[in-house]
Each structure stands twice: as C-alpha cells, then as structure tokens.
Amino acid sequence: MTEDDRRARQDTGDTAVPQWPSPEATSEVNGAPSSHAWTAPGAPAQSHAGQPSTPEFTGPASDTRAQPAPSAGRGPAPEQLAAAPSFRSWQPGIIPLRPLSFGDFLTVPFKAMRYNRAVVLGAPLLFTLVSTILMLVALWMVFTDPQLGLLDSTPTLSGISPQTVALLLVSVLMMLLADVFSSSIIAPGVARAVLGERIGIPVAWRQVRRRLGSLLLLYLVSAAALTLLLLAVFAPVLVSLGSGDPSGGAVALSLVLFLLLLLPAGLLVTLAQGIARAMIVLEGISMVAALRRLARLIRGRFWWSVLILFVAAALINIVSSVLQYVGQFGAIAVSFVAPENVAVLMVAFFVVYGLTYIVSLVLVYSYVGSVFALLYIDLRMRHEGFDLDLARAAEERARG
C-alpha cells in the first residue's frame, strides 16, 4: 500500500476500527469469551470458549466503504462512519504510529525495556537465570565428579557418572529453550507498549504457550539450516583432515565460503526466525503460514531489514562483550584474595562472572527480540496500512 493510499483511507474513514481489549478485559461472542488476535488481513476472528481473553493485536480490519447520502425522505440515514484518527492517537505508546526510521530501531528497544519491563526484561531474566543455574550446577558436578577427579593433584579421568551426564543434557536443553522462550515472549510486551499498555508475564506467556509447537518447530528448522551451512562451509577442511594431509588451500577455501556463504545466509536465517517468532505469537499462526506471510511482507524491505539487524546485533553484542570482560576481570581480581583456595576460585568464577554473563545475555535477548517485534510492526505499517488501524484502535480506546 502506498502512502497516498493510506492518506486516502484516513481521509475517507475507509477502515473499520478494530476493538482492543485491555489486558484484563474479555469480550463476549455468542456467550463465550473471545480473544482479538493480530490476524493477517482477511483472517477470521477466533474465539476460545471457556478461556479468558488473550491481549493480542488485531490485523487490518475489513474496509467499510462510504455510501452516498440518500436524499431527504428517501430512506434511513446512512451508518455513521468511523472518524479519522485524531492527533492524540498517533503516539499512544513507545513509537509514533508511522513507518519507523533507522534510528527508531536502535533506540526504541530501550523504551520497550523501560515501559514493559516485567515482560521485556523480567521474562528473559527468569528463563536465563533458571538455565544458568542449571548449567552452573552441572559444571560443579563435572569438577567434583569422583570418576574424573579434576580437583585432585593427579586427575584420574576414568569416566563420568550418569547423573552428571543427565544434568549436563538437561542444562543444555534448558539453555536452548531459554533462547526460544525469551525471544518469543518479548513480542507481546513490545506490541502492547506500542499502544501504551502494560502487561505482566502471565498474560504474555499465555500467548506464547498456545503456539509452543510452532515456535519449537521453527527453532529446529533454523538450527538444522545453520548446521547444514556449517558443514558446507567447513567441508573442505574436514575432507582435508580426513585424508591425513591438511592443506592451506582447504583452509583458505573454507574462509572464503565462511565470508561469502555462512555470514549472509546466517543473517537471513536469523532474520526470518526472529520476525516469524513475533508473527507466530502475535497472530497465532503456524510456522509455515508465518514464513509464507513473511516472504510477502519483506519484499522491497529485505536488505534494509538485514542492515537493521546487522547493526543492532553488532552494537548490543559489543555492549554484552564489554560486560562479560568486566565479569572476567572481576573474577580474576577476587581470585587474588586466596589463589590457593579452590573454593574461593570457584565462587569467584560462578558468582562474579555468572552474574555479568546473565546480565549480558538478558540484555541481548531483550534488545534483539524488541528489534524483531518492531521490524514485524514496521513491515505491516508499510504494506498493510497498519499504522492507521493502530491509530483508530488507540482513539477508540481513548473514547471509551
């Protein structure tokens, strides 16, 4: 949709106003509560009998075409058309309701962290804290495993106990799930912040929970794609090592493939996965439907979206690396207190470095997850006139 089309729709009142429930409110459809989802254009509304409403975005509503007024005495008066959004509705939350600029993508995520901090910061912190504690306990069991004897003067390395292996597997699985949950639950928090609404973790989690299958399937497909890319890039080195005669030509070829294939394709997979996650959670659609819809929305904005993701990820990873370096230096400084005491060394590593690691990881999850949610909203604004629908919804809420 062009800018002229959006202005024409605004001037003529050509778009119906979608109803936006508050986080606690429900609406009755045929006697049962229903939710309002950020559905794709033309998708039917869904109701969930017996379940509370989930605060989700609605997509562009059906157009309401204006009819000419009949002559006096020749029939009933025409239905009153929805008024065009007033100036008050154009920034009800953290962003102005217009297509976003490059700078918006870099600064607005911090606004989302402040506005809906319970979801955008609190939920990733919760998931990361659980996964990190499990990983630290697993590492402690590895260091103290009597079959390994790593703390002895002469480690035996005779084996590893099944309990240690099981805990290591559980901790790795939890770290993978923390990535999925953290980046997915941020989308409802950012979406509601756009409308000036605050929600809690339980409300956002209900939206994520109902699409867990699609989110996990998307993660597995993305991981498989990245694994295949890694194998293709390092195949020359692996073949060279397998032949017993490693060559510099194989290493050079792998380096070229890494720069020309893995980096661009990795960015593409990461971009598609991030926006599709927001789409799955907010619109309640399947993985396949989200990827198909994304392919249509991102036309004409692909390289722009890649640039935004690259710059945002580079900036936040620099900040995250600085925090982790601070943690490492802090752990080293604490270890100087008792360099011969193993317990002090372990506490210095697990507590000092562990805390900075958690903070840096939460910051990355919150920032990049917010960028993905904003990319999704921006694409809908540019291609579906979604800024007008959001403005009308905000104005309707202000009247109510």
Side-chain angles (χ1 to χ4, degrees):
M1 175 178 294
T2 64
E3 188 67 22
D4 293 338
D5 293 334
R6 285 200 294 269
R7 292 196 186 99
R9 290 176 66 185
Q10 177 186 353
D11 295 338
T12 59
D14 205 28
T15 305
V17 179
Q19 301 299 315
W20 295 77
S22 64
E24 298 81 9
T26 59
S27 61
E28 297 294 328
V29 179
N30 297 326
S34 64
S35 63
H36 297 268
W38 275 41
T39 53
Q46 298 178 354
S47 62
H48 304 274
Q51 298 181 359
S53 169
T54 303
E56 305 159 311
F57 282 170
T58 54
S62 303
D63 288 348
T64 306
R65 302 297 178 187
Q67 301 294 332
S71 304
R74 293 191 179 182
E79 295 183 2
Q80 183 179 0
L81 296 177
S86 71
F87 70 94
R88 292 187 298 114
S89 66
W90 288 106
Q91 187 168 348
I94 59 174
I95 61 171
L97 298 185
R98 54 160 174 75
L100 303 179
S101 66
F102 188 86
D104 290 332
F105 287 102
L106 302 182
T107 58
V108 171
F110 295 107
K111 295 181 181 180
M113 293 179 198
R114 293 195 303 268
Y115 197 91
N116 253 338
R117 61 178 65 92
V119 174
V120 181
L121 284 175
L125 175 61
L126 178 63
F127 296 134
T128 305
L129 194 60
V130 172
S131 65
T132 303
I133 290 175
L134 281 175
M135 180 58 71
L136 293 178
V137 172
L139 291 176
W140 178 260
M141 290 187 66
V142 169
F143 280 111
T144 58
D145 194 313
Q147 297 185 40
L148 292 174
L150 296 178
L151 298 181
D152 299 335
S153 57
T154 56
T156 57
L157 302 177
S158 59
I160 186 170
S161 65
Q163 294 84 355
T164 303
V165 175
L167 188 57
L168 279 172
L169 293 176
V170 170
S171 61
V172 170
L173 178 61
M174 187 58 205
M175 289 189 69
L176 297 178
L177 291 178
D179 177 43
V180 177
F181 295 158
S182 297
S183 56
S184 301
I185 203 171
I186 290 170
V190 175
R192 286 299 174 181
V194 168
L195 286 177
E197 299 176 1
R198 289 181 170 89
I199 59 174
I201 295 178
V203 173
W205 174 246
R206 281 198 294 270
Q207 290 186 252
V208 175
R209 184 182 59 191
R210 65 188 183 125
R211 304 307 306 176
L212 273 182
S214 296
L215 292 170
L216 293 176
L217 180 60
L218 176 64
Y219 185 84
L220 292 176
V221 171
S222 302
L226 290 175
T227 302
L228 292 176
L229 286 171
L230 283 171
L231 291 176
V233 166
F234 293 105
V237 173
L238 296 176
V239 172
S240 177
L241 291 175
S243 64
D245 185 22
S247 63
V251 175
L253 179 57
S254 292
L255 180 60
V256 172
L257 290 175
F258 176 82
L259 296 175
L260 298 181
L261 177 62
L262 186 60
L263 282 182
L267 273 175
L268 171 61
V269 172
T270 304
L271 177 67
Q273 180 181 217
I275 300 178
R277 279 180 183 173
M279 197 175 295
I280 289 171
V281 173
L282 294 175
E283 297 187 8
I285 57 180
S286 66
M287 180 201 73
V288 176
L291 292 177
R292 287 177 177 172
R293 181 155 156 68
L294 174 61
R296 293 192 299 269
L297 282 178
I298 208 167
R299 288 174 185 171
R301 302 290 299 177
F302 172 75
W303 293 111
W304 181 250
S305 302
V306 169
L307 177 62
I308 290 170
L309 174 61
F310 178 80
V311 174
L315 291 176
I316 201 62
N317 276 284
I318 290 174
V319 176
S320 174
S321 299
V322 170
L323 288 175
Q324 292 190 35
Y325 285 135
V326 170
Q328 292 175 6
F329 290 136
I332 294 173
V334 173
S335 66
F336 286 152
V337 176
E340 303 298 329
N341 193 320
V342 176
V344 172
L345 294 177
M346 300 296 289
V347 169
F349 176 78
F350 286 143
V351 175
V352 179
Y353 179 69
L355 287 176
T356 55
Y357 173 78
I358 290 173
V359 171
S360 64
L361 201 58
V362 169
L363 185 61
V364 171
Y365 282 144
S366 301
Y367 188 86
V368 177
S370 299
V371 170
F372 283 135
L374 292 171
L375 279 170
Y376 161 72
I377 295 171
D378 179 70
L379 290 174
R380 291 197 63 176
M381 286 180 177
R382 294 179 183 277
H383 292 281
E384 298 174 354
F386 197 40
D387 46 348
L388 297 183
D389 294 315
L390 293 176
R392 294 184 188 281
E395 185 65 19
E396 184 69 16
R397 291 176 62 84
R399 293 195 195 101

